[in-house]
Amino acid sequence: MDERLVRQIVISNPQWSGRPLAEHIEGIVPRDSIAELVSYADDRQIVIVTGPRRSGKTTGIVSTIQQLLDRGVAPKRTLYFSFDEVLSREHTVLEDVVSYFLENVAPEGATKKVPAFLFLDEIQFIKDWPTILKRIYETRPNVKIFASGSSSLGVRKGMGESLAGRAFDITIPTLSFREYLAFREIEVPRIPPIWSDAKVPESFMLVQNEVTNALTNYLVRGGYPETVDMRPISKVHRYIRQSVLDRVVYHDLLETESIANPASMMHLLKILASMSSQRFEIANIAPDIGMKAQTASKYISILERAMLFSTCYNYTRSMVKQARSSKRAYLTDNGLISSLLGLDDTTGSQELGRLAETAAYNHLSRTSQVFFWRDPQGNEVDIVLPSKRAPIPIELKYQTSIYKSDAKGLARFCDVHGCDKAFLVTKDKEGIMEIGDIEITLLPLWRLLLQT
């Protein structure tokens, strides 16, 4: 076995000799997605960690190892290795790394109940990695595998049939607003969902001003972990363009997809950024970039798999009608929008309103399928959440002055679908608005973004 590879394996695992796994481990801020990763440690299935570029996947992996060590897992039962620096991309490299660890480091007696843990980062660089992981999974029942990659599109594409039924796909998104506040050392108490009728804890009043002041920064800068403390915002724009957009469009996608013109893909993404939270028709977008509607549709599907873009469908019980009706566009992080469009701290109320709706949609999409609603008469509701009892309609009006006309779509939706709860999300207004027999709850955006 290549001595350089052995040296790299040992250097990558300082925990084997009693040293800290990473110098910055104490500074890692707890995240919901990291807690989810740890919860899968006792399951047999492989855990495939995906997420947008620069969302914190490697940090999540390292934090998961540390939490296993903290709960008593022996350091020599854990392996971390990143394949981004190995010279060879052949499958034998992956096999050699795993074999060296199990035969020379991991203590004897590893079983299904007391497994050895493999954390394999940047796995997409290795040829036929899904086949190799499947073989390890089937022939070594005493190991638990976590695998991740910065090219989430390539990792997801590689899962395919080889790992069907053998793997969980866990997504680490960019920061939620609560996580963004935690990175800024603003501790917020747990806040119940808006539809639970439970009140916000009184202790929230102690940090409310800090929260509302941070909200505008979050709406404009987005939730990429490394940009939280970046100033001025031009640095945020440059970081996202170079580390996320350029890397995905001009590098990742060229490796995994058939794209004839990546510049057209970037142009399409910019157009979608300008339309985030608005309805769109592919047939209307394609001519603006000199592209056939079929090609534009293909590119949009690729952007969705790359976790840069999301399509929101009209709320209807008919899947056929959903596919045929108009759709809404959402970029998956506000930082992408600001970087593509050059938005900064002087962004006006109209743009902030679209950013607010995008943030609300992305937040709710973490835990539920999200729809919008529009009827033939043009009545609309920005967000609809399916529920067993009745759908939950939510309208976004990120402004200080609120009128009954702002809730027209909500009232109509409630009439049609028999809802007993409806919400109007504002910039700072709270209270109750009555339209006929329908009671609509007004609440500020931070209340929605901080619910757990």
Side-chain angles (χ1 to χ4, degrees), residues 245-413:
L245 293 167
D246 288 351
R247 288 290 295 174
V248 171
V249 174
Y250 295 107
H251 182 266
D252 295 349
L253 297 184
L254 293 182
E255 286 190 349
T256 59
E257 301 289 338
S258 175
I259 299 177
N261 190 343
S264 293
M265 171 74 82
M266 188 70 81
H267 190 186
L268 172 61
L269 192 54
K270 187 172 182 177
I271 290 175
L272 294 171
S274 71
M275 302 178 67
S276 191
S277 80
Q278 298 178 359
R279 288 183 294 117
F280 75 100
E281 297 287 349
I282 292 175
N284 296 333
I285 294 175
D288 291 340
I289 49 179
M291 190 181 291
K292 293 181 179 179
Q294 185 177 5
T295 303
S297 179
K298 171 189 170 182
Y299 279 17
I300 285 175
S301 295
I302 292 172
L303 290 172
E304 287 192 278
R305 295 199 299 275
M307 301 185 186
L308 297 178
F309 174 78
S310 180
T311 300
C312 181
Y313 293 89
N314 198 356
Y315 180 79
T316 171
R317 290 180 174 84
S318 169
M319 298 296 290
V320 174
K321 287 184 178 179
Q322 278 185 19
R324 291 179 177 175
S325 62
S326 61
K327 307 166 184 64
R328 282 194 179 188
Y330 288 97
L331 265 64
T332 54
D333 189 89
N334 282 11
L336 296 171
I337 300 173
S338 295
S339 178
L340 286 163
L341 303 183
L343 305 182
D344 57 25
D345 298 325
T346 64
T347 296
S349 59
Q350 184 175 355
E351 288 289 354
L352 279 176
R354 296 199 306 112
L355 292 173
E357 187 179 333
T358 300
Y361 171 86
N362 286 330
H363 175 74
L364 294 170
S365 294
R366 293 169 185 251
T367 55
S368 173
Q369 189 169 11
V370 180
F371 300 88
F372 76 101
W373 179 75
R374 179 180 171 85
D375 69 6
Q377 290 73 42
N379 297 300
E380 288 193 68
V381 174
D382 292 326
I383 289 174
V384 177
L385 301 179
S387 174
K388 290 183 179 178
R389 288 184 57 192
I392 301 171
I394 303 172
E395 182 70 12
L396 271 291
K397 296 294 181 184
Y398 194 66
Q399 55 200 41
T400 299
S401 299
I402 300 295
Y403 307 96
K404 285 194 173 182
S405 58
D406 294 323
K408 176 186 174 184
L410 284 173
R412 180 58 184 159
F413 184 90

Side-chain angles (χ1 to χ4, degrees), residues 2-302:
D2 189 336
E3 291 185 4
R4 291 174 298 178
L5 183 58
V6 172
R7 191 180 310 114
Q8 192 171 341
I9 295 171
V10 174
I11 291 174
S12 300
N13 292 274
Q15 74 276 18
W16 294 346
S17 58
R19 292 180 289 120
L21 183 64
E23 293 181 359
H24 65 290
I25 194 71
E26 294 183 357
I28 292 179
V29 177
R31 296 187 59 186
D32 294 337
S33 51
I34 295 175
E36 185 180 12
L37 280 180
V38 176
S39 73
Y40 282 88
D42 297 326
D43 294 306
R44 171 76 177 112
Q45 284 79 6
I46 299 167
V47 176
I48 303 294
V49 185
T50 59
R53 262 195 176 273
R54 311 310 301 170
S55 62
K57 293 182 292 299
T58 298
T59 299
I61 287 287
V62 172
S63 182
T64 300
I65 299 173
Q66 186 60 48
Q67 290 191 46
L68 290 176
L69 298 178
D70 291 343
R71 77 180 196 185
V73 173
K76 289 188 175 181
R77 278 174 47 209
T78 63
L79 165 75
Y80 172 80
F81 192 81
S82 175
F83 293 93
D84 64 342
E85 295 180 3
V86 296
L87 297 178
S88 173
R89 303 308 194 201
E90 295 300 322
H91 62 83
T92 52
V93 174
L94 172 55
E95 295 173 322
D96 286 346
V97 169
V98 173
S99 295
Y100 176 84
F101 168 66
L102 294 177
E103 295 170 9
N104 298 282
V105 180
E108 295 182 4
T111 66
K112 286 184 180 180
K113 292 185 177 180
V114 188
F117 294 89
L118 311 180
F119 292 86
L120 309 172
D121 203 3
E122 305 291 6
I123 192 72
Q124 80 280 356
F125 285 122
I126 300 300
K127 293 180 181 179
D128 300 323
W129 65 266
T131 303
I132 307 305
L133 291 192
K134 175 185 176 183
R135 185 184 306 157
I136 295 171
Y137 175 85
E138 293 179 342
T139 60
R140 297 182 183 270
N142 60 335
V143 301
K144 170 68 179 186
I145 304 170
F146 289 78
S148 66
S150 59
S151 175
S152 292
L153 191 145
V155 172
R156 282 187 162 184
K157 188 175 181 180
M159 288 177 66
E161 295 182 359
S162 296
L163 299 180
R166 302 175 178 85
F168 291 113
D169 180 6
I170 306 300
T171 299
I172 295 185
T174 54
L175 301 177
S176 68
F177 184 46
R178 174 179 291 278
E179 292 170 338
Y180 178 85
L181 293 174
F183 270 64
R184 294 186 58 172
E185 300 182 346
I186 302 173
E187 187 175 344
V188 179
R190 288 289 171 183
I191 294 179
I194 59 175
W195 45 84
S196 69
D197 295 327
K199 294 183 178 180
V200 174
E202 292 184 3
S203 59
F204 178 77
M205 297 296 294
L206 299 174
V207 294
Q208 183 169 348
N209 287 338
E210 290 181 276
V211 168
T212 54
N213 289 336
L215 179 55
T216 301
N217 283 331
Y218 177 72
L219 291 180
V220 177
R221 285 169 167 76
Y224 286 94
E226 293 181 54
T227 67
V228 172
D229 296 319
M230 277 189 185
R231 299 293 184 276
I233 195 170
S234 58
K235 285 186 178 180
V236 177
H237 291 169
R238 189 178 304 114
Y239 172 87
I240 293 174
R241 283 197 304 269
Q242 295 177 353
S243 300
V244 181
L245 293 167
D246 288 351
R247 288 290 295 174
V248 171
V249 174
Y250 295 107
H251 182 266
D252 295 349
L253 297 184
L254 293 182
E255 286 190 349
T256 59
E257 301 289 338
S258 175
I259 299 177
N261 190 343
S264 293
M265 171 74 82
M266 188 70 81
H267 190 186
L268 172 61
L269 192 54
K270 187 172 182 177
I271 290 175
L272 294 171
S274 71
M275 302 178 67
S276 191
S277 80
Q278 298 178 359
R279 288 183 294 117
F280 75 100
E281 297 287 349
I282 292 175
N284 296 333
I285 294 175
D288 291 340
I289 49 179
M291 190 181 291
K292 293 181 179 179
Q294 185 177 5
T295 303
S297 179
K298 171 189 170 182
Y299 279 17
I300 285 175
S301 295
I302 292 172

